[in-house]
Amino acid sequence: MMFDRKTIRDIDLKGKKVIVRVDYNVPLDENLSITDDTRIRLSIPTIEYLIKNSARIILISHLGRPKGEPEDRFRLDPAALKLEELIGVRVKKFDSIYSDEIKDYVNNSLQNGDIVMLENLRFDTREKSNDREFSRLLASLADIYVDDAFGAAHRSHASVVGIAEFLPAVSGFLLEKEVETLTSLLESPERPFMAILGGSKVSDKIKIIRNLLDRVDILILGGGMTYTFLKSKGMEIGKSICEDDQMDYAREMINLARKNNVRLILPVDITAAKEFDRNSESMEVPVDGIHPDWMGLDIGSRTVDLFKKNIAEARTIFWNGPVGVFEWEKFSKGTKNIAFAVAESNAVTVAGGGDTVAAIRRYGLTEKFSHISSGGGASMELLEGKILPGVEALIKK
Ligand code: AMP
């Protein structure tokens, strides 16, 4: 399916005040330096297009989780400076979200191609509650609304949904590309289509597993959530992480995979640890050989080989979630091997989710993926088959 919403290509931008929702929710260190500017870089094609087409740009974003009031460590100044550095255009940053000064500046001083940035939207509780008055206030600054914040598109917030009621609302290039790439995975993947799902909890992945079982040819499960599946098959999993209340669901998914002819692949061996500790004593054991006092913290080498063999067969691969406690060197081997195997395959490779993207980045493999999603939650919801409110709010083509 093509993206069915209007984009900045479909609207006259010349001399218009354009309020652009970006996702500058970037990680900062204790000195407020940005440790990963990917999200800012990804917004540049849209911003440069707006500049080239003589729009007057008002950027809005959230950052972190402030509690509905100003907090210096969540101010957007580092993002404004970084953007300025990356595009070589001055970005005038205001210290509030709305004021008479801002209104006056936008109406009387903002020129074609100029950029201003407002303060962190989550300094106002009305952002998250999708408050109508707050949406109207934001909208009153501009003539056109552009949404390019894929990472926030699953949130029904004022700057994502409410604002679109008051202005012509169109998509930027990033939102368009993300939605197009992820929906085409679901609708027209080159086969065999494989999904690799990891992470700690089954309950987080219920809907995505369910939806993908109707679409994929091969489903690989790794990580903490596999133990619920293994236990549901009657295996001893020792002290491994497990959600007993999800065992029926796990059985149901195993049956559904069989019914849908999906090759469901679970680990055959694991790296077990004596304690949940980065330096714990550890050993590789077959999946039915975990000592009752030990726990599985990574997949084993036979599983790595099994996963790799299947990865080599796939023509489309979607990966979300580490297959072990990859933050700890000792239990990162599985995730590292999977990252390399997917990166090196000739398939269309798409990855999403904060931990997965962090792992890919750590191993320097970012460029080797066809697409790395900038939105963990939003990409998951799309693959669960949900419609994103941020996309719904935009004008239909
Ligand atoms: P999630 O937030 O559900 O995507 O899960 C990511 C987290 O799962 C990472 O922090 C991993 O350390 C963790 N994880 C992966 N495998 C295991 C495991 N076998 N036991 C416990 N935690 C795990």
Side-chain angles (χ1 to χ4, degrees):
M1 187 195 76
M2 293 299 290
F3 186 65
D4 68 348
R5 304 290 149 162
K6 288 206 173 168
T7 74
I8 44 177
R9 285 184 214 91
D10 304 313
I11 196 158
D12 180 21
L13 298 161
K14 191 162 183 209
K16 299 279 170 47
K17 290 172 285 171
V18 180
I19 191 161
V20 189
R21 176 56 156 105
V22 286
D23 176 10
Y24 286 173
N25 184 22
V26 288
L28 301 172
D29 64 17
E30 55 283 3
N31 303 317
L32 301 184
S33 290
I34 296 172
T35 55
D36 179 0
D37 62 9
T38 306
R39 286 181 155 164
I40 298 176
R41 288 176 187 275
L42 289 171
S43 74
I44 292 177
T46 292
I47 293 172
E48 287 188 333
Y49 182 90
L50 295 173
I51 294 173
K52 205 173 94 216
N53 285 277
S54 308
R56 306 174 181 193
I57 303 164
I58 304 159
L59 297 175
I60 50 174
S61 178
H62 76 283
L63 170 68
R65 294 173 185 266
K67 295 183 182 67
E69 57 184 53
E71 258 181 272
D72 282 345
R73 67 194 171 111
F74 292 123
R75 289 197 180 275
L76 278 170
D77 299 67
L81 285 171
K82 177 56 81 174
L83 176 64
E84 207 166 69
E85 179 190 316
L86 290 171
I87 61 172
V89 174
R90 170 146 193 266
V91 178
K92 183 174 168 62
K93 157 80 179 38
F94 288 99
D95 286 338
S96 58
I97 304 169
Y98 186 92
S99 65
D100 289 341
E101 184 204 349
I102 294 174
K103 182 96 189 164
D104 180 58
Y105 187 89
V106 160
N107 283 333
N108 302 312
S109 304
L110 193 65
Q111 302 296 313
N112 294 1
D114 282 357
I115 307 178
V116 296
M117 189 186 289
L118 309 186
E119 190 51 277
N120 189 342
L121 294 162
R122 291 197 188 163
F123 285 0
D124 194 312
T125 51
R126 295 177 297 174
E127 160 66 356
K128 284 173 83 173
S129 61
N130 195 21
D131 182 88
R132 199 153 189 275
E133 186 54 26
F134 186 64
S135 303
R136 199 191 54 75
L137 211 57
L138 289 173
S140 72
L141 293 171
D143 307 307
I144 294 170
Y145 167 69
V146 172
D147 187 0
D148 213 21
F150 177 70
H154 59 313
R155 308 278 190 209
S156 288
H157 293 172
S159 68
V160 177
V161 171
I163 189 172
E165 198 185 309
F166 299 98
L167 292 173
V170 301
S171 172
F173 296 138
L174 176 64
L175 180 66
E176 176 190 42
K177 179 168 172 238
E178 288 272 13
V179 175
E180 244 175 25
T181 307
L182 293 165
T183 44
S184 73
L185 270 194
L186 292 179
E187 289 171 7
S188 50
E190 271 210 61
R191 294 187 180 279
F193 175 19
M194 161 190 281
I196 305 169
L197 297 179
S200 56
K201 283 160 93 192
V202 177
S203 45
D204 287 349
K205 309 271 155 116
I206 286 183
K207 295 201 190 94
I208 195 166
I209 295 175
R210 177 71 196 75
N211 197 37
L212 287 175
L213 278 175
D214 285 337
R215 311 199 181 247
V216 299
D217 304 293
I218 309 170
L219 177 61
I220 287 183
L221 297 182
M225 69 157 150
T226 48
Y227 299 99
T228 304
F229 281 81
L230 295 170
K231 189 171 175 187
S232 82
K233 290 169 78 144
M235 285 179 198
E236 164 70 57
I237 59 162
K239 295 211 165 108
S240 306
I241 182 173
C242 180
E243 290 161 278
D244 285 327
D245 59 345
Q246 300 299 334
M247 294 221 306
D248 285 344
Y249 169 79
R251 268 182 226 110
E252 215 179 287
M253 290 307 106
I254 291 171
N255 288 333
L256 183 63
R258 199 172 296 132
K259 179 169 154 261
N260 286 0
N261 249 326
V262 174
R263 195 192 300 165
L264 176 65
I265 303 172
L266 290 163
V268 291
D269 65 344
I270 59 166
T271 301
K274 200 167 177 182
E275 295 138 335
F276 191 73
D277 185 283
R278 65 164 67 237
N279 299 315
S280 167
E281 190 184 329
S282 68
M283 66 167 129
E284 283 196 15
V285 291
V287 80
D288 56 0
I290 306 181
H291 188 280
D293 286 335
W294 286 47
M295 64 193 79
L297 294 186
D298 194 8
I299 55 175
S301 13
R302 276 178 48 227
T303 305
V304 166
D305 290 341
L306 173 69
F307 286 6
K308 275 185 169 172
K309 193 169 131 260
N310 280 276
I311 288 168
E313 275 181 47
R315 300 290 302 276
T316 304
I317 303 173
F318 171 72
W319 177 28
N320 176 300
V323 296
V325 183
F326 79 107
E327 297 92 335
W328 296 340
E329 174 70 31
K330 214 168 178 177
F331 305 103
S332 66
K333 222 171 86 190
T335 302
K336 184 174 181 181
N337 271 286
I338 298 313
F340 273 89
V342 176
E344 280 156 15
S345 95
N346 293 321
V348 173
T349 49
V350 178
D355 289 321
T356 314
V357 176
I360 293 168
R361 219 174 144 244
R362 183 193 303 170
Y363 306 129
L365 299 171
T366 307
E367 300 303 321
K368 298 205 160 173
F369 279 70
S370 315
H371 181 77
I372 294 191
S373 180
S374 60
S379 65
M380 288 280 284
E381 291 202 10
L382 261 187
L383 293 180
E384 285 170 6
K386 285 195 194 143
I387 291 165
L388 302 179
V391 175
E392 274 283 282
L394 305 177
I395 306 171
K396 260 200 139 147
K397 257 190 187 143

